Amino acid sequence: MTETHPKFAVVGHPNKGKSSIVSTLAFDDSVQISDTPGTTTKKRSFPLTVDGRVLYELFDTPGFQRARSVLAWLQKHEVTADKRPDVVQAFINEHRDNERFNDEIELLEPIMAGAGIIYVVDGSKPYGEEYEAEMEILRWTGQPSMALINLIDETNYVEEWKRALGQYFKMVRLFNPMKATFPQHLSLLQSIAQLKEEWIEPVNESIGLFKAFHEQMFEQTARSITQLLYHSLSHVERLPIKEEDATEKEKTLVLERYKARLREYEELEQKRVEKVWHHENLEKAQQALLFDGMDLFSKESASLFGLSRKELLITGTTGGAMTGAGIDLLLGGSTLFLGSAIGAMVGGAGVFFGFNELSEVKVLGQKLGKRYLEAGPMKNVNFPYILLNRALFHATKIASRSHALRNKVLLEMGRDFTSKWMDDEVRKSLEKCHVLFRSGDEVKPETMKAYEETIGMILRRLID
Ligand SMILES: Nc1nc2c(ncn2[C@@H]2O[C@H](COP(=O)(O)OP(=O)(O)OP(=O)(O)O)[C@@H](O)[C@H]2O)c(=O)[nH]1
Ligand SMILES: [Mg+2]
């Protein structure tokens, strides 16, 4: 850890969103946050590290508990302004073992060690005199400082807060840790740089690195989604079989494994994206990727993804065209599915245009030699869009989620989500790749790259 990076202590009254601000600015969802005042009891450092380099470091601290007593002590030791920081240090030294002042000492220590001050208030509560002792103590430390007004609720006392805070802090800004966008985050850093001349250069450097880091996050997300599509569409599940013909049980098994594998790919992809965006402690509520009963070829989903009737029919016929092409036996979807338990779950038209076109189950191998069942690769022309829609929705939610939130992520996609990213041009460029992914042929790196770029462009359109 280099010692030159800027450091900030986030301080204020209890329960005003200090830890939430630390969490958001440090991209760290491990910060303790709760609506019980006094949640943070010890100072803790949260560095924002990129490629092993610390961009800046934030200290989460407990809220002031006995500001008036502390201020009274300081004032009793009244000295000229230049000596005031020494008096604050003397207070710390003298009370280090005094439980009564634990919170004040915890919050003053990083400041006295050189951290800049970010004073947090809740602009939805009226201003009151009780804050003045806190602000006065902070002024005694002599450290550069700014105030952040966090609007926790609807009511708005921002104007009166601004008038009061302006008398103690050179800079007063509104900042909502739950809703802050990346540009707002950057703009806050830019203001922080102005607090101290020596900070301008390191903070600007951090901002540059932070922007590059953000770009990387988009690229990694696009790569992750591309991998998901490629692996899901090209996946082939194999199952050795005992007899010459596959049993119903074996057919069901290979399909179950095929579907389980596709769900696993999606889960892994989501985990990767969550890691990229530093959301590793997430709880999610999401409908699993369903294959049965999914009306993949309905008119409605066709128009949703801009597919023409012709395109749907082309896929519908490929299954039949495969028969005899070096394949011992191609099981027609209906024979297999109607007779099985899964078949029972496939509703109406889905039987003809849906699930049975998802993948094929083939029996391969020589007579009485080694034989196996194969499911996949994906044949359904609509499936990639369903998968992509889910992956893009998930990525959008994750990338724009504040690190200060502790609730479950509800991945409930609205009906209008697709129209936010899908248009004719996008679909055309994606479709070429989907055909290739589904074919099982080798995909050139430049084709992958092009797909990744299209996904990256879509992500940028969806996020910010
Ligand atoms: N709706 C909303 N809730 C917020 C906001 N900021 C903080 N909260 C909530 O307010 C509560 C307190 O937030 P914390 O970040 O733990 O506050 P703190 O100042 O660190 O509290 P202590 O550590 O107890 O001093 C939590 O329930 C947060 O979810 C906000 O901008 N909007
Ligand atoms: Mg806290």
Side-chain angles (χ1 to χ4, degrees):
M1 207 183 271
T2 57
E3 279 307 310
T4 52
H5 62 261
K7 295 172 189 157
F8 314 102
V10 180
V11 300
H13 226 59
N15 215 33
K16 300 298 177 198
K18 299 182 294 298
S19 300
S20 304
I21 286 175
V22 169
S23 197
T24 299
L25 295 181
F27 265 63
D28 194 323
D29 61 358
S30 74
V31 183
Q32 261 195 320
I33 293 170
S34 98
D35 53 7
T36 317
T39 298
T40 310
T41 55
K42 291 258 169 274
K43 62 175 177 295
R44 195 178 142 193
S45 143
F46 293 94
L48 177 60
T49 309
V50 174
D51 297 332
R53 229 183 116 174
V54 181
L55 297 195
Y56 52 80
E57 185 179 355
L58 289 148
F59 289 92
D60 191 19
T61 67
F64 281 98
Q65 295 291 345
R66 298 198 161 78
R68 284 206 183 94
S69 311
V70 177
L71 185 62
W73 191 95
L74 298 177
Q75 283 166 341
K76 232 176 37 201
H77 297 74
E78 186 76 70
V79 285
T80 48
D82 60 324
K83 301 273 177 5
R84 284 179 176 170
D86 300 339
V87 179
V88 177
Q89 190 57 54
F91 174 84
I92 295 175
N93 298 344
E94 202 165 300
H95 299 86
R96 216 181 285 277
D97 300 322
N98 187 337
E99 270 296 302
R100 256 169 63 77
F101 295 113
N102 166 70
D103 294 349
E104 275 73 15
I105 290 181
E106 286 288 320
L107 78 90
L108 286 170
E109 267 178 345
I111 298 174
M112 295 313 291
I117 298 165
I118 297 180
Y119 183 66
V120 178
V121 303
D122 175 4
S124 67
K125 299 272 160 23
Y127 174 72
E129 192 229 327
E130 65 272 28
Y131 299 95
E132 285 171 14
E134 298 175 1
M135 297 190 288
E136 194 56 33
I137 295 169
L138 295 174
R139 190 147 65 180
W140 274 63
T141 68
Q143 278 299 332
S145 59
M146 75 183 297
L148 288 187
I149 306 177
N150 176 20
L151 264 175
I152 293 188
D153 283 321
E154 317 267 285
T155 40
N156 188 322
Y157 296 95
V158 171
E159 282 317 308
E160 59 180 76
W161 271 107
K162 276 188 176 164
R163 276 197 300 276
L165 291 167
Q167 296 173 49
Y168 291 86
F169 301 93
K170 196 156 73 165
M171 204 158 343
V172 179
R173 297 277 305 258
L174 275 163
F175 188 77
N176 187 321
M178 305 299 182
K179 295 187 190 139
T181 60
F182 184 69
Q184 283 168 344
H185 189 150
L186 283 185
S187 140
L188 180 66
L189 291 179
Q190 259 140 9
S191 331
I192 287 175
Q194 304 306 314
L195 290 176
K196 198 171 164 182
E197 214 183 325
E198 290 95 303
W199 284 353
I200 296 177
E201 214 189 289
V203 175
N204 280 339
E205 206 189 330
S206 290
I207 290 172
L209 290 168
F210 197 31
K211 280 186 185 158
F213 169 54
H214 200 240
E215 273 305 301
Q216 262 179 37
M217 290 162 110
F218 275 102
E219 283 162 21
Q220 287 168 352
T221 306
R223 194 165 315 139
S224 173
I225 295 178
T226 302
Q227 291 298 316
L228 169 72
L229 266 291
Y230 173 70
H231 289 303
S232 305
L233 299 191
S234 61
H235 180 70
V236 175
E237 189 68 36
R238 281 183 160 203
L239 179 80
I241 53 171
K242 295 193 185 83
E243 304 297 324
E244 192 164 324
D245 285 322
T247 61
E248 282 302 309
K249 218 170 135 191
E250 285 167 328
K251 290 170 201 163
T252 309
L253 185 65
V254 76
L255 273 169
E256 284 309 316
R257 285 193 182 162
Y258 175 78
K259 290 189 284 181
R261 182 56 61 93
L262 260 49
R263 288 197 187 107
E264 187 184 71
Y265 283 153
E266 188 188 53
E267 229 165 84
L268 289 172
E269 194 279 332
Q270 293 195 355
K271 283 264 171 266
R272 278 199 304 259
V273 169
E274 286 155 23
K275 191 163 180 208
V276 165
W277 294 92
H278 293 209
H279 280 293
E280 284 173 87
N281 305 306
L282 274 189
E283 257 197 281
K284 279 181 289 188
Q286 180 184 25
Q287 194 185 40
L289 185 58
L290 291 178
F291 300 96
D292 21 67
M294 195 187 210
D295 203 2
L296 299 172
F297 278 81
S298 72
K299 242 190 197 159
E300 191 186 6
S301 57
S303 67
L304 197 61
F305 298 111
L307 297 161
S308 68
R309 191 77 199 146
K310 196 171 139 216
E311 279 165 307
L312 299 182
L313 287 174
I314 286 169
T315 317
T317 54
T318 48
M322 296 289 287
T323 324
I327 296 163
D328 285 350
L329 175 65
L330 176 80
L331 288 164
S334 41
T335 344
L336 172 64
F337 295 109
L338 288 179
S340 69
I342 315 154
M345 287 189 269
V346 182
V351 176
F352 299 104
F353 283 128
F355 184 50
N356 56 348
E357 298 298 343
L358 203 59
S359 66
E360 292 155 5
V361 174
K362 304 166 220 162
V363 180
L364 297 169
Q366 288 114 33
K367 265 195 172 190
L368 301 171
K370 241 188 177 175
R371 291 171 70 81
Y372 49 87
L373 269 181
E374 220 177 61
M378 178 56 68
K379 284 286 166 254
N380 189 302
V381 77
N382 221 358
F383 183 78
Y385 298 100
I386 288 171
L387 202 58
L388 198 50
N389 214 28
R390 284 169 65 92
L392 289 170
F393 182 71
H394 168 263
T396 308
K397 273 270 191 185
I398 298 303
S400 47
R401 178 176 166 92
S402 159
H403 292 82
L405 289 167
R406 295 291 173 270
N407 58 352
K408 241 187 208 178
V409 197
L410 290 180
L411 291 167
E412 266 174 34
M413 204 188 308
R415 281 227 146 256
D416 63 336
F417 180 72
T418 315
S419 62
K420 290 190 180 138
W421 62 272
M422 177 66 95
D423 59 35
D424 249 14
E425 210 175 306
V426 162
R427 202 192 58 79
K428 261 189 212 131
S429 86
L430 293 176
E431 186 55 28
K432 273 193 294 204
C433 294
H434 292 161
V435 170
L436 203 58
F437 293 173
R438 278 198 303 265
S439 73
D441 294 345
E442 198 191 330
V443 180
K444 288 197 190 104
E446 52 269 32
T447 310
M448 284 288 193
K449 196 89 210 125
Y451 192 84
E452 242 173 76
E453 273 163 23
T454 309
I455 300 293
M457 180 209 56
I458 295 172
L459 285 169
R460 283 181 183 83
R461 202 188 283 176
L462 286 168
I463 302 161
D464 284 347

